[in-house]
Amino acid sequence: MLVLLPLVLLPLASAFSIHIATNLTARKLLHQRSPGLALHNFQDINYHANIDLGGQSFTVLIDTGSADLWVAGNVANSTDTGQRAQGRYAQKNVEGPVKTADLHFGDYRVPDQAFLQVQPDDSHLENFGTLGLGPSSGSSFHNLLTPPAADPVLYRLFHQNITAPNYFTILLGREKDPTDRFTGTLTVGEIIGQYRSILAQPRLNITKLPDDVDGDQHLQVLLDEEGIIGPDGEPIPLLSEVRHSGSPARPTVVFDSGFSLPQVPRSVADAIYGKFAGAQYVSINGIGSVWILPCRHEVNVSFRFGGRVYPIHPLDMTMCVGLLVVLVGCLLMVSYRQPEDLGLGMLSNNTIRGERACIGTFQPFTFERGSQPSFDMVLGMAFMRNVYTLFDYGDFVPDSVEDLREEPYVQLLSLTDPVEAHTDFVTVRLATRDDGDEDEDGDAPPASASSSRVHSAIVAAVAVVGVLIVLAGFFVYRARRGRGVR
Ligand SMILES: *[C@@H]1O[C@H](CO)[C@@H](O)[C@H](O)[C@H]1NC(C)=O
Ligand SMILES: *[C@@H]1O[C@H](CO)[C@@H](O)[C@H](O)[C@H]1NC(C)=O
Ligand SMILES: *[C@@H]1O[C@H](CO)[C@@H](O)[C@H](O)[C@H]1NC(C)=O
Ligand SMILES: *[C@@H]1O[C@H](CO)[C@@H](O)[C@H](O)[C@H]1NC(C)=O
Ligand SMILES: *[C@@H]1O[C@H](CO)[C@@H](O)[C@H](O)[C@H]1NC(C)=O
Ligand SMILES: *[C@@H]1O[C@H](CO)[C@@H](O)[C@H](O)[C@H]1NC(C)=O
């Protein structure tokens, strides 16, 4: 179900884009200059791309938290390997025959790429799928065939040119950013020209899991000590729950583009959002427990990796929810009379009635990490929009030429200038007029009681639909390897 809903919305995304002020010239320029594969951004809650498999076009989510390629729908021009496999995702597994077909996306071509062909249903819409970019130890089917025949897409590309670097890079755009207009790009073995300085950033070693649990291996690194700087400028304490052999107890963080909302311990979310006036910790159907707070609050947080500071854009620290953004602005607190009836009981609290409310994007864990967690935080899209990220697979890739067999590492180039980000925030969230599609009804004075009730019913209906849809969008389609799943 998780994957399903966002996919349903994809066609809507283009319809909605007319509401979003875009500088097509700038966007086009960037795309012309960029190598790689263009990513499309749906409401900052998922990033997808078009691929061509056996001559057919599919729209796939870009997921650094899983390793396999699967698509829903028959790929006519393909070869059946005779094997079946199951891809494990937290919300809904996928299952079907393992086939091979020629794959083409962006500048990249792979002959006879192995993929899982899934029967389309309500949860897996025809012509949609997921492109996993994570380590192959997490693949559900690459051991079914003799490697490299069934290797994940990235590994096939790495092997095609063994002298090219074994890395891929991801750039994710921000939907409402008034100054940076790109939507996103994925590259393999090459760098987006204007961000070459990423190669000079500190190399953050990917921490490796022991062999017996390497199916849980993610793209994970250690955070610096005192590596989260909160809104008051003070470090937010975080004790690692990951057991290291000897190494210091710095927190382990996973970079996972399959999560819209970063997942953090409750204490961290509380420290970030809990002190803002009007903030409430609530449970929202489909999203889970989360802080909500008036959208006007500018939340400044930074992370530290490799001795560098990575500021997070305040537009990424809180967000309006999904469709509501387009239709009525952020959640409107003003007119709910009997919110309990709507399953939106949290909106009844007087503390933020009358103000637009946003959710705090850094969310307390919505899933169990098990008794021996292998990470302390999952930094998803809201974090990843602030950095250009390079993942070097080093010796995750067997049979590379000798001098490329280095330890796997990550490099992060900060893209967020705090001063510009502040101006962006003021433009988008605080401007009284013309703040894009966010505002609309947000500042409308309350009308008469009865018309306000009608209004409230409409808003409520829209809210319910929006929240339902948003659920889907929420990454909760967490890539395979659910704890305890073996
Ligand atoms: C759009 O972007 C181009 C290229 O960056 C720039 O020259 C132009 O002034 C921009 N137009 C607007 C309306 O911002
Ligand atoms: C089927 O795939 C082959 C390459 O594997 C390609 O040459 C051919 O054009 C494709 N046929 C169709 C009908 O797409
Ligand atoms: C392989 O990669 C190297 C380094 O990026 C590049 O110079 C070379 O042209 C590539 N070869 C092929 C066949 O693509
Ligand atoms: C990263 O790994 C390399 C190779 O194992 C090692 O030499 C280096 O000290 C590590 N860096 C850090 C910061 O741990
Ligand atoms: C609702 O507001 C009251 C104060 O008016 C506060 O005591 C209570 O904790 C709030 N409830 C939640 C869930 O935040
Ligand atoms: C957030 O940071 C920006 C840039 O440093 C600063 O201008 C702004 O005042 C800060 N806002 C808050 C609420 O601290």
Side-chain angles (χ1 to χ4, degrees):
M1 146 178 138
L2 41 151
V3 181
L4 145 70
L5 280 175
L7 299 184
V8 174
L9 290 181
L10 291 180
L12 298 179
S14 50
F16 288 151
S17 64
I18 53 171
H19 294 269
I20 296 151
T22 52
N23 184 336
L24 292 175
T25 312
R27 218 173 252 200
K28 212 167 176 183
L29 283 175
L30 186 85
H31 279 164
Q32 279 166 0
R33 271 187 259 118
S34 295
L37 174 68
L39 303 183
H40 309 283
N41 174 7
F42 178 67
Q43 297 288 316
D44 288 347
I45 60 177
N46 77 43
Y47 294 85
H48 53 278
N50 295 325
I51 64 168
D52 179 300
L53 194 56
Q56 285 167 243
S57 180
F58 291 90
T59 298
V60 291
L61 298 177
I62 298 300
D63 185 11
T64 63
S66 64
D68 294 326
L69 171 65
W70 66 261
V71 296
N74 185 46
V75 180
N77 197 7
S78 65
T79 306
D80 197 331
T81 65
Q83 303 280 354
R84 287 184 73 82
Q86 190 182 61
R88 293 184 293 271
Y89 294 77
Q91 301 274 316
K92 186 115 181 180
N93 293 342
V94 294
E95 194 184 2
V98 179
K99 297 189 166 187
T100 64
D102 287 359
L103 171 65
H104 177 205
F105 61 98
D107 306 333
Y108 312 110
R109 284 178 188 281
V110 185
D112 301 321
Q113 172 63 49
F115 65 96
L116 196 60
Q117 180 179 295
V118 177
Q119 183 70 31
D121 60 25
D122 287 351
S123 311
H124 308 97
L125 297 189
E126 185 153 19
N127 299 328
F128 289 92
T130 293
L131 174 59
L133 299 169
S136 65
S137 52
S139 168
S140 300
F141 58 83
H142 86 296
N143 285 331
L144 293 176
L145 308 173
T146 320
D151 275 350
V153 173
L154 275 183
Y155 287 65
R156 293 291 308 279
L157 288 169
F158 292 153
H159 277 118
Q160 270 179 23
N161 185 347
I162 57 171
T163 62
N166 287 343
Y167 58 60
F168 73 98
T169 76
I170 287 196
L171 178 71
L172 300 181
R174 184 176 299 107
E175 184 102 18
K176 291 192 190 319
D177 196 308
T179 44
D180 296 302
R181 293 304 193 176
F182 52 86
T183 55
T185 305
L186 168 73
T187 72
V188 182
E190 54 191 343
I191 302 285
I192 300 175
Q194 71 201 97
Y195 301 126
R196 287 217 81 79
S197 53
I198 191 172
L199 295 173
Q201 300 304 306
R203 292 184 174 188
L204 312 170
N205 288 346
I206 292 182
T207 58
K208 291 195 201 171
L209 300 188
D211 286 349
D212 58 331
V213 289
D214 73 351
D216 256 340
Q217 180 71 54
H218 286 89
L219 298 170
Q220 55 191 56
V221 305
L222 296 181
L223 186 68
D224 283 3
E225 274 172 59
E226 305 202 327
I228 315 173
I229 314 301
D232 57 0
E234 296 297 317
I236 294 175
L238 171 58
L239 287 180
S240 179
E241 294 177 52
V242 178
R243 265 174 237 167
H244 294 285
S245 48
S247 54
R250 283 154 55 194
T252 297
V253 309
V254 168
F255 300 110
D256 190 338
S257 68
F259 277 90
S260 309
L261 302 182
Q263 303 285 294
V264 301
R266 171 79 197 263
S267 61
V268 171
D270 290 0
I272 293 175
Y273 302 109
K275 294 194 190 111
F276 286 94
Q280 296 176 27
Y281 190 66
V282 301
S283 178
I284 303 180
N285 288 336
I287 293 177
S289 292
V290 74
W291 280 95
I292 59 172
L293 64 167
C295 295
R296 67 183 152 84
H297 287 312
E298 181 182 14
V299 181
N300 285 337
V301 167
S302 310
F303 288 81
R304 270 195 240 263
F305 292 98
R308 309 246 164 147
V309 175
Y310 295 90
I312 305 304
H313 200 298
L315 288 176
D316 292 327
M317 291 305 302
T318 60
M319 77 190 302
C320 302
V321 182
L323 274 188
L324 296 176
V325 178
V326 177
L327 299 180
V328 294
C330 309
L331 289 174
L332 282 176
M333 298 310 181
V334 65
S335 32
Y336 293 100
R337 297 244 154 172
Q338 295 184 303
E340 319 78 39
D341 297 343
L342 305 169
L344 293 169
M346 84 289 175
L347 297 178
S348 63
N349 204 304
N350 286 328
T351 46
I352 45 184
R353 178 168 292 177
E355 293 207 65
R356 290 180 298 151
C358 281
I359 60 171
T361 51
F362 285 66
Q363 180 183 35
F365 276 106
T366 49
F367 59 94
E368 286 297 324
R369 282 173 295 157
S371 56
Q372 299 203 342
S374 57
F375 51 86
D376 297 294
M377 288 195 284
V378 178
L379 295 182
M381 302 169 200
F383 173 88
M384 291 180 74
R385 280 192 283 278
N386 294 276
V387 287
Y388 177 45
T389 312
L390 180 153
F391 298 99
D392 189 302
Y393 271 40
D395 61 8
F396 279 167
V397 183
D399 308 324
S400 295
V401 295
E402 195 60 29
D403 61 349
L404 291 175
R405 288 188 53 83
E406 52 197 354
E407 300 289 311
Y409 61 84
V410 175
Q411 285 173 303
L412 302 174
L413 176 67
S414 176
L415 300 178
T416 299
D417 166 35
V419 174
E420 181 184 298
H422 170 71
T423 313
D424 290 347
F425 184 84
V426 171
T427 306
V428 173
R429 291 278 176 82
L430 305 182
T432 49
R433 200 47 235 152
D434 193 28
D435 54 349
D437 43 6
E438 280 214 351
D439 207 5
E440 308 285 35
D441 302 339
D443 298 325
S448 74
S450 68
S451 88
S452 136
R453 199 168 301 132
V454 171
H455 176 75
S456 102
I458 294 169
V459 170
V462 171
V464 168
V465 171
V467 167
L468 285 177
I469 289 170
V470 161
L471 317 190
F474 277 85
F475 65 83
V476 204
Y477 78 92
R478 149 130 203 92
R480 58 162 257 99
R481 307 172 247 183
R483 263 102 284 277
V485 184
R486 196 41 297 229

